[in-house]
Amino acid sequence: MNVRKIVNKLGLAVCVFLLVSPALLFFIWMLSLSLKFEIDNGAYPPILIPERFAWKNFTGVFESNSFLLYFWNSIIVTGSATIFALIVGVPAGYGIARLKAHKSAVVIMIARMTPGLSFLIPLFLLFQWMGLLGTLWPQIIIHLVVTVPIVIWVMIGYFETTPMELEEAAMIDGATRWEIFAKVAMPIAKPGIVVAFILSVIFSWNNFVFGIVLASRETRTLPVAVYNMLSFEQVSWGPLAAAALIVTLPVLILTVAAQRQIVAGLTAGAVKGG
Amino acid sequence: MSTLTSSSPAAAASPKKGKRLRPSYWPFIIPALVVVVGVILFPWAFTLWMSANEWRVGEEQQFVGLANYARLMSDTRFWESMGHMAVYTVLSVVGPLIFGTAAALAFNSKLPARGLLRGIFVMPMMATPVAIALVWTMMFHPQLGVLNYLLSLVGIGPSEWVFNPRTVIPSLVLVETWQWTPLVMLIVLGGLAALPTEPYESAQIDGANSWQRFRYITLPMIGPFLMVAVIIRTIDALKSFDIIYAITQGGPGTASETVNLYLYSVAFTYYDIGYGSAIAVVFFVIIVALSLILLYLRQRSAWNAGDTR
């Protein structure tokens, strides 16, 4: 009996290792690529841990390619699109949940089905006509296509589960709807706002397709910048992998640190951006 | 917008208070409604309108009715891209579905450091797709890539992966499966968490083995969740862009060009806006139609399983 228990445990451990290893090994290999000199990256058989680490791959990324500018662009675009989405999306989620207007959420669902490119054609022309191309505004505005539906979707779910009794009590005490929203409903829904914020940041940060069309040389976000390194500027693997790692590292840290919230949000709404 | 928000508290305090007037919740929604109309509904309408026009950037716009759609019918590159999309989508639904369900079963049992492991497992779907694509491109490299080295360890000859028209789609599906298995896992895990324990107890008494328990108890009960996973996966696979564009740009030749990539080329490489809009409309209709069919199937399976969602 005891032996069988141990065998079962071992079997489970092997299963879990097999499941996690594709993800784990991939990111370890990514790290390895980014820390190797060209000669080690071209070696056969491949080397996992080199004798000398090429730290200059990382410092080099920041020294060239206006990488800091692109990092800043990414922060501005993602930050603005997320904050704006929270400002309009949290009240909207509340309103839809209280009005029980679930049918309106269908629009959000269809928006999720719509290919990003079909938003891009009209908005691209609109931005061109308004003379906004060359600034960060087109990207901030079009990222709302990703962030607003995520926030509304997550918030509807949260406000539906918050108890009505407190709000009714506040109403009897003579509080207005806005006071109730700000002082009763919002504080209870704080975990939901955190989930909406995290998911919105991640999917906006990762967005690539809007950037390749709308970004000019000065307004690139990180995913576009790293793609351009691949196609035009560089062929050496070390610096490329280092750049890729820098682009995705904030998201990876956020994922592991806030995995509980992310899992809750994703299973509730099964949302995904773009 | 500012006048609306400032007038609403007054509206809420109006004499009709006792009736719990529902319209007073509208001011909460209006700002978001403006955004949705601006960046979601307007583009839909505009795309539909442009699809009935012949227009390239820098040229005269001309109303042509359904001519763009007629052109689509005889566009062999479009139909080829439809074929690529169909193969790509079917494979990218089936792969994550199998592995995701297996992973959910494993994660549903008591594990040490379950949270951390789940965090690592979810990383591929949260990581920046372009960054991932870049590393996969290096791994696919026929001479220096680590994948061919791994194949040689188990005695399999080298593959050309994304550099050969015949293997490019399966190779891209490999990336897509790696990336999106976690999402299926999360959805199915949600279903497993809601399962009752009684059927398993009685099955234990009846002497059912673990495969029988999975086949006849677990699988039927998580059916509706699997359907949700299939729907979401289908939509995302049809729309897949970042990975394909960053790794192959639809190549070699047009061997991995799906409708979404063809649409990109027409609209933003050739700047053929009218024709591109027509493709976007057809593409959108395909996605919505497929989703509705799958939703209908889900409704039926939900009926059988007594699911109320």
Side-chain angles (χ1 to χ4, degrees):
Chain A
M1 192 65 195
N2 236 345
V3 177
R4 209 179 141 184
K5 248 187 181 167
I6 292 169
V7 170
N8 271 348
K9 275 225 163 119
L10 263 170
L12 192 63
V14 171
C15 277
V16 169
F17 177 75
L18 283 177
L19 283 168
V20 180
S21 58
L24 199 58
L25 293 179
F26 177 90
F27 289 106
I28 290 174
W29 187 245
M30 190 176 185
L31 183 67
S32 164
L33 283 169
S34 70
L35 282 174
K36 285 184 291 197
F37 286 97
E38 234 17 52
I39 196 157
D40 289 333
N41 270 332
Y44 194 93
I47 299 166
L48 180 62
I49 303 168
E51 284 170 15
R52 298 173 306 139
F53 290 108
W55 300 109
K56 74 166 176 61
N57 287 345
F58 283 91
T59 52
V61 166
F62 283 103
E63 279 159 16
S64 63
N65 305 314
S66 339
F67 216 76
L68 279 176
L69 172 69
Y70 301 145
F71 211 107
W72 181 240
N73 287 344
S74 260
I75 289 172
I76 294 286
V77 170
T78 295
S80 315
T82 300
I83 289 167
F84 191 77
L86 287 175
I87 291 172
V88 302
V90 173
Y94 178 72
I96 292 171
R98 289 294 171 266
L99 277 172
K100 304 205 188 323
H102 300 285
K103 294 242 165 63
S104 63
V106 170
V107 178
I108 311 276
M109 209 41 215
I110 301 176
R112 192 185 175 287
M113 292 179 195
T114 314
L117 281 169
S118 55
F119 294 118
L120 256 171
I121 296 174
L123 290 175
F124 172 76
L125 295 171
L126 185 71
F127 294 139
Q128 199 176 40
W129 177 70
M130 291 168 78
L132 287 175
L133 293 179
T135 69
L136 281 175
W137 284 108
Q139 293 187 78
I140 294 172
I141 294 168
I142 205 164
H143 272 237
L144 295 176
V145 171
V146 177
T147 57
V148 170
I150 291 178
V151 173
I152 294 181
W153 197 253
V154 171
M155 292 322 295
I156 291 175
Y158 261 86
F159 282 121
E160 271 175 348
T161 58
T162 55
M164 280 294 288
E165 286 82 6
L166 280 174
E167 291 182 29
E168 276 161 7
M171 210 181 304
I172 291 164
D173 289 345
T176 67
R177 303 243 178 224
W178 289 99
E179 283 167 351
I180 293 169
F181 170 67
K183 290 179 185 151
V184 182
M186 276 247 284
I188 298 174
K190 226 179 228 162
I193 298 174
V194 172
V195 170
F197 172 80
I198 292 171
L199 290 177
S200 171
V201 163
I202 290 179
F203 287 119
S204 169
W205 184 269
N206 284 348
N207 188 285
F208 171 61
V209 65
F210 295 149
I212 46 170
V213 174
L214 293 174
S216 60
R217 198 161 178 59
E218 281 77 39
T219 57
R220 275 174 206 154
T221 53
L222 280 180
V224 180
V226 88
Y227 174 74
N228 274 36
M229 281 177 74
L230 172 70
S231 41
F232 301 115
E233 289 158 25
Q234 235 157 347
V235 276
S236 37
W237 285 10
L240 259 180
L245 194 61
I246 293 168
V247 170
T248 195
L249 200 61
V251 173
L252 293 183
I253 292 170
L254 199 58
T255 302
V256 175
Q259 60 94 11
R260 195 179 301 271
Q261 284 85 347
I262 288 172
V263 168
L266 287 173
T267 31
V271 280
K272 187 208 150 208
Chain B
M1 228 153 62
S2 62
T3 54
L4 268 170
T5 46
S6 59
S7 71
S8 56
S14 69
K16 279 185 286 179
K17 203 172 178 179
K19 273 174 74 182
R20 191 167 297 166
L21 66 166
R22 301 177 88 197
S24 62
Y25 282 111
W26 277 101
F28 288 98
I29 303 174
I30 284 165
L33 201 65
V34 171
V35 173
V36 167
V37 168
V39 301
I40 294 174
L41 296 182
F42 157 73
W44 283 344
F46 192 87
T47 304
L48 197 61
W49 160 248
M50 281 313 294
S51 76
N53 284 273
E54 166 77 47
W55 188 51
R56 287 165 203 269
V57 170
E59 286 178 27
E60 199 89 336
Q61 189 177 335
Q62 192 190 354
F63 185 82
V64 292
L66 295 175
N68 282 325
Y69 293 95
R71 182 177 156 198
L72 209 54
M73 290 296 129
S74 56
D75 184 348
T76 49
R77 193 168 158 191
F78 171 73
W79 289 106
E80 276 171 27
S81 73
M82 288 276 279
H84 299 150
M85 181 173 78
V87 175
Y88 184 88
T89 302
V90 169
L91 292 176
S92 313
V93 171
V94 172
L97 200 67
I98 294 170
F99 293 117
T101 307
L105 289 171
F107 273 106
N108 195 41
S109 48
K110 278 205 185 86
L111 295 175
R114 184 161 168 261
L116 178 70
L117 287 171
R118 197 172 55 180
I120 295 170
F121 191 77
V122 172
M123 269 159 61
M125 66 175 278
M126 305 312 277
T128 311
V130 180
I132 287 169
L134 217 105
V135 176
W136 276 101
T137 310
M138 297 175 191
M139 288 167 53
F140 280 138
H141 195 283
Q143 283 86 46
L144 305 174
V146 71
L147 288 181
N148 272 346
Y149 171 72
L150 292 176
L151 282 187
S152 76
L153 286 185
V154 288
I156 301 172
S159 167
E160 287 184 296
W161 302 104
V162 292
F163 300 94
N164 184 323
R166 275 200 318 216
T167 52
V168 62
I169 289 183
S171 304
L172 290 171
V173 168
L174 178 70
V175 181
E176 179 98 12
T177 302
W178 174 84
Q179 195 189 0
W180 290 112
T181 292
L183 185 66
V184 177
M185 187 278 278
L186 291 178
I187 295 168
V188 178
L189 196 60
L192 288 174
L195 290 186
T197 54
E198 295 88 9
Y200 292 94
E201 282 156 11
S202 47
Q204 196 114 41
I205 295 165
D206 292 344
N209 65 32
S210 51
W211 167 251
Q212 285 169 327
R213 285 202 299 269
F214 172 74
R215 172 68 189 81
Y216 295 106
I217 304 175
T218 311
L219 203 55
M221 282 201 291
I222 59 170
F225 291 87
L226 291 178
M227 275 312 288
V228 172
V230 169
I231 294 170
I232 289 169
R233 213 57 285 292
T234 305
I235 296 171
D236 290 346
L238 289 170
K239 284 177 24 177
S240 184
F241 182 84
D242 293 11
I243 291 286
I244 304 175
Y245 185 84
I247 296 181
T248 68
Q249 288 190 289
T254 57
S256 61
E257 187 176 73
T258 61
V259 174
N260 211 9
L261 272 101
Y262 183 47
L263 167 58
Y264 177 81
S265 296
V266 170
F268 295 108
T269 308
Y270 311 136
Y271 286 107
D272 194 344
I273 301 293
Y275 192 44
S277 299
I279 298 175
V281 170
V282 171
F283 186 28
F284 178 61
V285 168
I286 293 171
I287 296 176
V288 172
L290 263 177
S291 309
L292 287 177
I293 293 169
L294 289 169
L295 270 173
Y296 171 73
L297 290 175
R298 171 169 186 264
Q299 225 73 35
R300 280 183 30 184
S301 71
W303 179 260
N304 291 333
D307 180 69
T308 48
R309 275 176 68 187

